[in-house]
């Protein structure tokens, strides 16, 4: 038997992370509770190491390895760096929260690392199997993380719900992939694209498979009507885990969507654009309307996520119009920019909940933010900026994110869609404004001083300021999105 | 350095000054924040003075232009410049900022630094709106200016402040989001430019112009506000603190009218002509119907708010009769209204600080206890009613003249404001100021102090000065108005 040694170099970061995860796993056995901080530190160091390796191995070329199952391109490198960064920020935010609840065990860090590995594999996948592998690694880690607080009935229920629905979605995705395999005879994304391009695939089978693939993706992105898990999981999970679910995995899900739909099934763009358009409109409408009725901030942000993913889809559906493909680059980079901006805002918003939480108290109700301006004008201003940014008010990053997807939509002549989108963003503005109202116009109920580690305070401040800074100077991230996509298509 | 970037300074100096005010402010010792805010406001006004002094009145093109790339992906640039119309509003805005800082000096006791900073930030943002020649820059300032006002109304306002703040924010946002789509459409039509001046020259078919005009109309009509989308204004005015009401009336309402001049008229000139009948009708409804509504108000702030809507109806009327005297009259009316309505709100604020009531019925015979104040109040009321020799007269007279030239009946209905305005303003003054002392509270009133005398006196000088000698204002705008009217008359078809 002939065994060809694959090129491991493009996957060096993944391999390093896996090795470090094993080291941490073993180390966790010998450390006492007092020495647990080493694990946290080592996890952070692993992420930094991954970032260094990713930067050093970045060639700027599209490099395929492991028999074309794994791809390393600038798009993947950029998204991976963002994933490391947001996971690292998440770990800083959640350190104090977990310690107070006795959840800062080795498992947490390990599961986070494995989830990160899953995301990296998803981002770099160029094969249906690799995508599925990464997705399951991420999902299984997340199911376990949601149930991390095992004595909490709500968390366990959320994890159960997440698992059952998640498994079903994975099934849908797999079924769709098998259809595509049946039609094209290959599992490689590039091969699928080739087969469809040359017209050797049966169109009916393809579209049939596409429906299932889109359903599976929609579940992972959490868009209507596959959104049912989001509010319950966001609310039920420990806030630190909610923060995790609400940030980096969105980047991975975006990458997966782009790899499958754009890299693999671009020839079917007219078909999946129509499907995604319906999902987008429904998500924007339902997400924004349902968020108004919430009194729990985590649940409100969950519905807000649904609507934000809907806006992101608006970018994805504007790539091809009447067979004309020159919109593609701008449209997809606007969707990517939207995702990156959303992750930045989401990190900050859940970080604020963690900041106000303390032993035995979750600051997860809207009323817990009452009078925050009296307790801490600085963090009230940070939260205010985050909320205005999510509402899409300038000068914050959320505005230019909405701007770029709306421009992509109008560019393809779908003005009515833009009108629908802005109409619901007006409704959305109401519930973000309500948070600002609670902080600035109301008297504080909770007057306990805000206690948090210095690193968290600094990072959260930096996060809030970044939302303003990248809102005033959005050029850098926009260009990076366009550039990395251009070099990877 | 300063000379080449005067407009940038007029925008960013107040904003960065506000950040410093926030940094030095503390709840225990608000004095440094107050003083610093006043200094920042004065400096902000000083940097706008060379804009007026160095303005070339013979030119109709943009002056003091600053250009720098901002977001190259979308060809958005940091493009600033003023013509004879916008330069006046920048001056007015920077001037009013000083007045509101003074007006909130002692009255605001909680979170002083935040209060002062909010006004300074708003002042900078609104200068940005008037100075932007890039549509996205304009839009960004236009929307961002909602944030400080929302917080001012909500945090320092009256009992129903939350409702008013939400209504203010959502109404305005609703309008401006449609405008955003219009801007995106124009960007694509013009082949990738957000430069407003490029759009002015962009040929557009009539149906596209009409759609654009309507999208802009929604945004600006809410801001002006025009009947029937005016309902947020009385709420916002009544609930806002005195300073907030002043800025709303003096500057924020002008943003809508300014939008017509900068966007609707020059970008969609043919649609403006086609729809001028509707615009004139809406304006006349504002003048006549809202005038009657003002007559029956029992709350002084509400009465002045409705009077503002009626006066702004005059402004939009002046724009859509398409003659020089009408348009210049409208612009003079905008500036005059900035002084007069601002001063009226300051007067109500002075009384409210003492009595904690805005109800006309709670007052009576104020002249007996506050003679100096009464003199100012009566002067501003006369200006509001359009008495000759006050600034209120000049604009109204010019617009009525222009309207008669356009069509006799339009002029006739417009002229009813002279009766209605006098009726609601003077009747209020009669009930509040004159007569016998109504109750013990009024008997205990103390007359205005030096600080109040200062800001009311300055406003009185402006009102009288502009009424007696309006040429410094009209001369500056003349060339730009002429240019605009020629452009609108030529059309794009």
């Amino acid at each position: 038997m002939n065994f060809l040694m694959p090129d491991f170099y493009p996957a060096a970061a993944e391999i390093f992370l896996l090795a470090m995860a094993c080291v941490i796993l073993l180390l966790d056995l010998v450390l006492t509770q007092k020495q647990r901080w080493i694990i946290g530190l080592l996890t952070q160091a692993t992420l930094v190491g991954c970032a260094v390796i990713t930067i050093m191995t970045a060639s700027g070329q599209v490099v395929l390895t492991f028999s074309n199952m794994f791809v390393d391109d600038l798009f993947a490198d950029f998204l991976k760096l963002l994933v490391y960064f947001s996971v690292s920020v998440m770990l800083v935010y959640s350190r104090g929260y977990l310690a107070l609840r006795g959840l800062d065990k080795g498992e947490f860090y390990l599961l986070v690392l494995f989830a990160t590995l899953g995301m990296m594999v998803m981002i770099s996948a160029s094969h249906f199997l690799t995508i599925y592998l990464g997705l399951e690694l991420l999902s299984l880690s997340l199911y376990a993380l949601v149930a991390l607080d095992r004595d909490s009935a709500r968390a366990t229920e959320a994890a159960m719900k997440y698992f059952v629905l998640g498994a079903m979605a994975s099934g849908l995705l797999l079924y769709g992939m098998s259809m595509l395999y049946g039609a094209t005879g290959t599992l490689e994304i590039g091969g699928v694209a080739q087969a469809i391009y040359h017209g050797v695939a049966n169109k009916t089978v393809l579209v049939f498979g596409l429906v299932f693939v889109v359903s599976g993706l929609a579940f992972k992105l959490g868009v209507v009507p596959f959104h049912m898990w989001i509010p319950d999981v966001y609310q039920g999970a420990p806030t630190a885990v909610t923060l995790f679910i609400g940030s980096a995995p969105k980047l991975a899900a975006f990458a997966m969507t782009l790899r499958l739909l754009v890299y693999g099934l671009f020839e079917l763009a007219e078909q999946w654009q129509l499907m995604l358009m319906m999902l987008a409109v429904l998500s924007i409408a339902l997400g924004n309307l349902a968020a108004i009725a919430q009194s729990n901030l985590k649940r409100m942000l969950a519905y807000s996520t649904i609507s934000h993913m809907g806006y992101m889809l608006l970018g994805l559906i504007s790539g091809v119009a009447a067979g004309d493909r020159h919109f593609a680059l701008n449209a997809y980079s606007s969707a990517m920019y939207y995702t990156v901006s959303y992750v930045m805002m989401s990190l900050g918003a859940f970080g604020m909940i963690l900041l106000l939480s303390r032993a035995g108290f979750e600051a997860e109700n809207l009323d817990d933010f009452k009078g925050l301006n009296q307790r801490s004008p600085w963090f009230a201003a940070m939260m205010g900026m985050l909320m205005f940014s999510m509402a899409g008010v300038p000068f914050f990053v959320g505005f230019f994110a909405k701007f770029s997807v709306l421009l992509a939509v109008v560019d393809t002549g779908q003005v009515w869609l833009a009108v629908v989108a802005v109409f619901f963003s007006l409704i959305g503005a109401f519930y973000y404004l309500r948070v600002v109202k609670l902080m600035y116009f109301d008297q504080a109920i909770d007057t306990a001083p805000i206690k948090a580690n210095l690193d968290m305070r600094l990072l959260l401040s930096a996060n809030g300021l970044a939302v303003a800074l990248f809102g005033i100077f959005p050029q850098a991230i926009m260009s990076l999105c366009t550039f990395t996509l251009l070099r990877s298509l | 350095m300063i000379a080449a970037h005067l407009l940038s300074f007029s925008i960013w100096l107040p904003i960065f000054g506000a950040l410093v005010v926030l940094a030095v402010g503390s709840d225990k010792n608000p004095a440094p924040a107050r003083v610093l805010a006043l200094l920042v406001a004065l400096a902000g006004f000083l940097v706008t003075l060379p804009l007026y002094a160095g303005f070339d009145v013979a030119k109709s093109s943009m002056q003091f232009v600053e250009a720098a790339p901002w977001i190259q992906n979308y060809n958005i640039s940091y493009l600033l410049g003023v013509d004879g119309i916008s330069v006046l509003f920048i001056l007015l805005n920077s001037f009013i900022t000083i007045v509101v800082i003074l007006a909130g000096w002692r009255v605001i006791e909680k979170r002083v630094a935040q209060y002062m900073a909010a006004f300074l930030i708003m002042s900078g943002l609104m200068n940005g709106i008037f100075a932007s020649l890039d549509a996205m820059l304009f839009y960004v300032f236009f929307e961002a200016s909602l944030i400080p006002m929302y917080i001012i109304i909500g945090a320092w306002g009256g009992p129903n402040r939350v409702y008013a703040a939400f209504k203010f924010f959502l109404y305005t946002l609703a309008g401006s989001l449609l405008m955003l789509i219009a801007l995106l459409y124009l960007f694509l039509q013009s082949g990738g430019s957000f430069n407003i001046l490029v759009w002015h020259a962009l040929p557009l078919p009539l149906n596209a112009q009409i759609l654009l005009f309507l999208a802009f109309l929604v945004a600006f009509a809410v801001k002006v506000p025009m009947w029937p989308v005016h309902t947020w204004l009385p709420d916002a005015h009544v609930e806002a603190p005195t300073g907030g009401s002043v800025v709303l009336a003096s500057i924020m309402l002008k943003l809508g009218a300014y939008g017509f001049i900068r966007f609707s008229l020059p970008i969609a000139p043919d649609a403006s002509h086609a729809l001028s009948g509707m615009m004139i009708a809406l304006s006349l409804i504002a003048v006549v119907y809202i005038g009657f509504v003002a007559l029956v108000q029992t709350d002084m702030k509400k009465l002045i708010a409705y009077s503002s809507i009626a006066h702004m109806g005059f402004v939009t009327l002046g724009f859509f009769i398409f003659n020089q005297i009408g348009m210049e009259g409208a612009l003079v009316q905008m500036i005059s209204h900035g002084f007069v309505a601002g001063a009226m709100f300051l007067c109500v604020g002075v009384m409210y600080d003492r009595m904690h009531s805005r109800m006309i019925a709670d007052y009576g015979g104020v002249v007996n206890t506050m003679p100096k104040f009464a003199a100012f109040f009566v002067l501003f009321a006369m200006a509001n009613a359009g008495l000759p020799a006050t600034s209120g007269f000049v604009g109204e007279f010019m617009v009525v003249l222009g309207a008669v030239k356009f069509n006799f009946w339009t002029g006739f209905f417009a002229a009813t404001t002279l009766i209605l305005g006098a009726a609601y303003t003077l009747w209020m003054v009669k009930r509040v100021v004159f007569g016998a002392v109504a109750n013990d509270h009024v008997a205990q009133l103390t007359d205005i102090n030096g600080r109040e005398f200062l800001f009311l006196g300055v406003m009185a000088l402006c009102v009288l000065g502009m009424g007696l000698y309006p040429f410094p204002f009209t001369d500056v705008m003349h060339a730009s108005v002429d240019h605009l009217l020629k452009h609108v008359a030529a059309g794009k078809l």
Side-chain angles (χ1 to χ4, degrees), chain A residues 373 394-395 433 441 472 475, chain B residues 70 72-73 114 143 150 161:
Chain A
N373 185 37
F395 284 89
L433 281 180
F441 307 168
I472 300 173
Q475 169 85 28
Chain B
W70 180 25
Q72 280 145 330
N73 294 40
Q114 288 187 352
E143 274 214 344
Y150 170 74
R161 58 188 202 273

Side-chain angles (χ1 to χ4, degrees), chain A residues 373 388 394-395 399-400 403-404 407 410-411 418-419 422 426 429-430 433-434 440-441 472 474-475 478-479, chain B residues 70-74 111 114 136 139-140 143-144 147 150 154-155 161 166 169-170 173-174 177 181 184 187-188:
Chain A
N373 185 37
F388 280 119
F395 284 89
F399 170 72
F400 281 104
F403 165 83
S404 58
L407 187 60
V410 176
D411 203 3
V419 174
V422 297
L426 177 70
F430 173 77
L433 281 180
R434 192 171 53 184
Y440 279 91
F441 307 168
I472 300 173
Q475 169 85 28
M478 275 181 186
S479 301
Chain B
W70 180 25
I71 305 172
Q72 280 145 330
N73 294 40
Y74 296 105
R111 286 173 276 154
Q114 288 187 352
M136 277 324 288
Y139 184 82
V140 161
E143 274 214 344
I147 299 176
Y150 170 74
R161 58 188 202 273
F166 271 82
F169 197 104
L170 294 177
L173 188 66
L177 283 172
I181 295 177
L184 297 179
F187 170 74
L188 297 166

Side-chain angles (χ1 to χ4, degrees), chain A residues 193-344:
Chain A
Q194 284 294 320
I196 302 174
Y197 181 72
H198 293 300
V200 292
N202 182 330
K203 193 98 181 229
T204 317
V205 181
L206 273 179
V207 176
F208 196 66
L210 178 68
V211 174
F212 287 97
V213 168
V214 168
S215 311
L217 291 175
F219 178 88
K220 298 298 170 189
L221 287 168
V223 290
V224 180
F226 304 95
H227 66 288
M228 269 75 107
W229 61 279
I230 293 227
D232 291 332
V233 171
Y234 271 43
Q235 191 185 356
T239 311
V241 178
T242 312
L243 166 64
F244 185 47
I245 298 177
S247 54
K250 304 287 177 206
L251 294 167
F254 172 77
M256 173 171 77
T257 311
L258 204 78
R259 295 268 188 222
L260 275 175
L261 296 185
V262 175
Y263 284 61
L265 303 169
F266 193 60
E267 294 297 323
L268 300 179
E270 310 259 331
Q271 277 84 7
W272 56 254
Q273 279 183 2
L274 197 64
M275 297 178 204
L276 291 188
M277 181 162 77
M278 286 184 247
L279 300 179
V281 171
L282 286 174
S283 304
I284 292 171
L286 189 121
N288 279 325
L289 288 174
I292 293 177
Q294 307 308 321
S295 61
N296 181 298
L297 185 58
K298 277 159 82 177
R299 217 173 163 81
M300 187 196 99
L301 287 174
Y303 282 106
S304 128
T305 305
I306 296 171
S307 76
H308 279 292
M309 286 301 114
Y311 284 108
M312 186 276 284
L313 288 184
L314 288 183
L316 282 182
I317 61 171
S318 308
V320 180
D324 188 348
R325 296 177 171 188
H326 82 270
F327 307 110
L329 180 65
N330 268 335
Y332 301 143
S333 84
S334 76
M336 187 166 163
Y337 179 64
Y338 200 98
T339 316
V340 175
S341 309
Y342 174 71
V343 168
M344 196 192 300

Side-chain angles (χ1 to χ4, degrees), chain B residues 2-3 6-7 9-10 13 41-56 64 82 87-95 98 127 473 476:
Chain B
I2 294 183
L6 279 172
L7 288 173
F9 271 94
S10 74
L13 191 113
L42 282 171
F45 183 55
L46 281 181
V47 296
T48 59
L49 286 179
L51 289 175
Y52 184 81
F55 193 85
D56 182 354
F64 303 101
V82 283
V87 69
L88 293 172
F89 291 105
I90 291 182
L91 275 138
L92 177 68
N93 178 27
S94 301
F95 170 73
I98 305 177
N127 276 343
F473 297 93
V476 170

Side-chain angles (χ1 to χ4, degrees), chain B residues 312-325:
Chain B
M312 291 309 287
F314 238 77
V315 172
T316 45
L317 176 67
F319 289 163
F320 286 92
I321 51 180
F322 303 112
N323 54 41
Q324 180 105 17
I325 191 158

Side-chain angles (χ1 to χ4, degrees), chain A residues 152-201:
Chain A
S152 156
R154 226 170 41 166
T156 321
E157 186 198 327
M160 205 59 204
K161 225 174 239 172
Y162 191 16
F163 174 70
V164 172
L165 289 172
M168 203 175 76
S170 297
L172 288 177
L173 191 66
L174 264 189
Y175 188 55
M177 284 173 176
S178 69
M179 286 283 181
L180 295 180
Y181 176 69
T184 59
T186 173
L187 286 169
E188 267 174 46
I189 289 177
V192 169
Q194 284 294 320
I196 302 174
Y197 181 72
H198 293 300
V200 292

